[in-house]
Amino acid sequence: QVQLVESGGGLVQAGGSLRLSCAASGLTFSSYTMGWFRQAPGKEREFVAAMHWSAGRPSYADSVKGRFTISRDNAKNTVYLQMNSLKPEDTAVYYCAAVLVGLPFTSTTTKWGQGTQVTVSS
């Protein structure tokens, strides 16, 4: 029932930009904190960014601060991740995530998208 569908991934040169989108359905969008995680080959999933439903509490991993921007359009039930100044270390599958407001992102509480591949070449 709940669907989070990512799009916008692709192959870019280092220093380039991409904007990821996540379209949510089957949930009350305004009741969820939305976020992005990523998983690089051979590594564990890691937090990237999150945005409260009100868009007033953005949070970023230190590794992406100043380069990535999360935003959401509640009218469209869509969350975005604008990625600038991309580095090869940003190469990963990026997953959209949703958790009820007030709860942390955990394996049991979080709803996940299928992921979209981002590859940054040197």
Side-chain angles (χ1 to χ4, degrees):
Q1 182 180 24
V2 175
Q3 287 188 287
L4 303 174
V5 181
E6 302 96 333
S7 62
L11 173 64
V12 298
Q13 294 280 331
S17 298
L18 284 173
R19 189 179 75 155
L20 306 183
S21 299
C22 172
S25 63
L27 53 75
T28 302
F29 194 65
S30 61
S31 296
Y32 284 80
T33 298
M34 303 298 298
W36 292 92
F37 289 71
R38 67 187 182 186
Q39 187 167 22
K43 297 184 178 180
E44 68 278 4
R45 182 184 60 200
E46 66 177 354
F47 170 77
V48 176
M51 177 73 80
H52 187 265
W53 73 268
S54 69
R57 293 194 295 156
S59 182
Y60 299 95
D62 288 342
S63 60
V64 306
K65 285 181 179 177
R67 300 189 298 120
F68 291 10
T69 302
I70 187 171
S71 62
R72 62 191 291 169
D73 186 337
N74 291 337
K76 295 182 178 180
N77 287 5
T78 301
V79 63
Y80 305 94
L81 185 68
Q82 179 66 47
M83 305 185 294
N84 299 326
S85 301
L86 282 162
K87 305 174 181 179
E89 66 190 60
D90 295 318
T91 295
V93 177
Y94 283 71
Y95 296 93
C96 182
V99 67
L100 283 167
V101 170
L103 297 180
F105 287 101
T106 72
S107 61
T108 58
T109 61
T110 305
K111 305 178 187 299
W112 301 98
Q114 84 289 348
T116 186
Q117 177 71 47
V118 172
T119 302
V120 184
S121 62
S122 60

